Amino acid sequence: MQVGDHNEQYNQYTYRLRTPHLDFAPVLRRPDVRERLAELALDPENHDKRAAVMEKLGARTWSVRRNAVELHAVRRGAESRRAPRAATAPPAAEVGEGRSLVFIRHCRDVQVGQRLRQYNDFAYVCPRPRIDERQLLCERPGLRAALIDVVTGRAAAATLTDEVHQALRAASFAPPPRPSQRPGTVRADDGVTVGRGSRALDVLRLTAELNGRRLARDLKRETGVVARRRRTLEQDRHRAEERARIVARRDAERLGGRSPRTPNRGTGVS
């Protein structure tokens, strides 16, 4: 915390998601998505079919929340550091532009003066974050591509873990609301600067402790469903091809297996 005029405060807030549960099944079980995935699995090199699945998975109309991650219960982590790492020496007292009375309650590492700088790291643990998988897919094309490769059998489920980590680090989220303050009083908050002309620059980021085994188990089930549907489509295609061959053979037999006769050219009689 800072108290004084024309100060600068640099705060980094890190929110660690404790084993968030990601469930892509509601998205993958949509009939239109599952059918397109099965068709792509049957023809994996078809760029048009892949683009159609990418478009479906990234449809923003699916998402009903503004952010991909919602932080609910948040507590300060043991690694949180609030002490200032660097600060300039305060100027002489006569530089001040007036005085105000500020009550400070339940605060630590308070810096008082003018034209100072303070650098803070705040770490929090989020044991029950809420993830909107649809919004996460909208925001991260790489996650969509990796999910498609896993579900269609082109990649192992373990390869999705790194992409999920990257997606969560870059995901949209809103920090927990700050506690309400009484005028002239600052209490129970992190990263506060009070004074004329003072400013605070905040950087917020997410990290995650992901349960890769659980994610792989859930995706294995969906991969099996798509594989069974792919085999059904493949059998349907083989039956259609066989029917086409039977029809072609019957047509050939109906024509006697010969080409139509070419009329003879007469030489004429004198």
Side-chain angles (χ1 to χ4, degrees):
M1 176 180 178
Q2 282 182 319
V3 178
D5 297 335
H6 305 291
N7 291 327
E8 291 183 349
Q9 188 181 66
Y10 300 89
N11 303 311
Q12 177 171 276
Y13 299 89
T14 302
Y15 300 92
R16 179 176 294 277
L17 308 180
R18 181 68 57 82
T19 58
H21 179 213
L22 279 80
D23 186 8
F24 294 104
V27 177
L28 299 175
R29 290 174 183 172
R30 289 178 60 97
D32 52 348
V33 173
R34 179 171 289 175
E35 193 68 15
R36 283 173 170 80
L37 284 169
E39 292 173 355
L40 178 61
L42 190 60
D43 189 9
E45 302 301 327
N46 191 312
H47 298 290
D48 292 336
K49 292 181 179 179
R50 186 178 183 86
V53 181
M54 286 285 290
E55 182 180 1
K56 275 293 181 182
L57 291 179
R60 292 191 176 274
T61 54
W62 288 15
S63 183
V64 296
R65 300 189 183 95
R66 179 179 301 177
N67 296 311
V69 179
E70 292 184 4
L71 307 178
H72 294 289
V74 175
R75 65 174 183 267
R76 186 178 293 148
E79 66 274 20
S80 182
R81 182 173 61 234
R82 294 174 300 280
R85 298 198 304 268
T88 59
E94 61 267 20
V95 179
E97 300 178 2
R99 296 185 177 183
S100 300
L101 184 62
V102 178
F103 293 94
I104 303 173
R105 302 180 60 185
H106 307 295
C107 294
R108 292 188 297 174
D109 303 316
V110 179
Q111 186 183 58
V112 180
Q114 300 178 29
R115 303 185 186 281
L116 304 178
R117 291 181 180 175
Q118 187 181 53
Y119 298 83
N120 299 313
D121 292 333
F122 301 105
Y124 306 91
V125 177
C126 311
R128 293 185 298 275
R130 186 173 183 176
I131 310 297
D132 186 343
E133 293 83 0
R134 297 170 299 177
Q135 182 64 27
L136 200 64
L137 289 169
C138 290
E139 297 176 358
R140 191 77 180 183
L143 179 60
R144 278 180 266 158
L147 185 61
I148 290 172
D149 288 339
V150 170
V151 176
T152 56
R154 301 189 67 182
T159 62
L160 188 64
T161 304
D162 290 340
E163 189 58 44
V164 170
H165 272 294
Q166 296 180 23
L168 288 175
R169 284 196 292 267
S172 60
F173 74 100
R178 290 177 177 265
S180 59
Q181 305 288 351
R182 295 173 56 187
T185 302
V186 179
R187 57 184 298 178
D189 201 3
D190 294 332
V192 177
T193 182
V194 178
R196 299 179 181 88
S198 297
R199 62 172 184 167
L201 302 177
D202 299 334
V203 176
L204 292 78
R205 68 189 188 100
L206 292 177
T207 61
E209 300 174 3
L210 192 64
N211 189 337
R213 292 184 177 179
R214 182 176 183 178
L215 180 62
R217 183 179 66 247
D218 294 343
L219 287 178
K220 183 178 180 180
R221 182 171 53 251
E222 299 305 318
T223 301
V225 173
V226 171
R228 289 191 294 271
R229 179 56 183 162
R230 180 194 63 79
R231 288 192 293 270
T232 299
L233 292 176
E234 188 174 19
Q235 293 170 359
D236 292 343
R237 187 176 68 178
H238 289 334
R239 283 193 290 266
E241 292 173 351
E242 182 62 25
R243 285 195 297 269
R245 284 193 293 268
I246 292 174
V247 171
R249 185 167 60 250
R250 288 176 178 175
D251 290 342
E253 292 173 353
R254 189 177 299 112
L255 294 174
R258 296 187 300 271
S259 300
R261 293 183 177 182
T262 301
N264 296 327
R265 294 182 180 178
T267 57
V269 179
S270 56

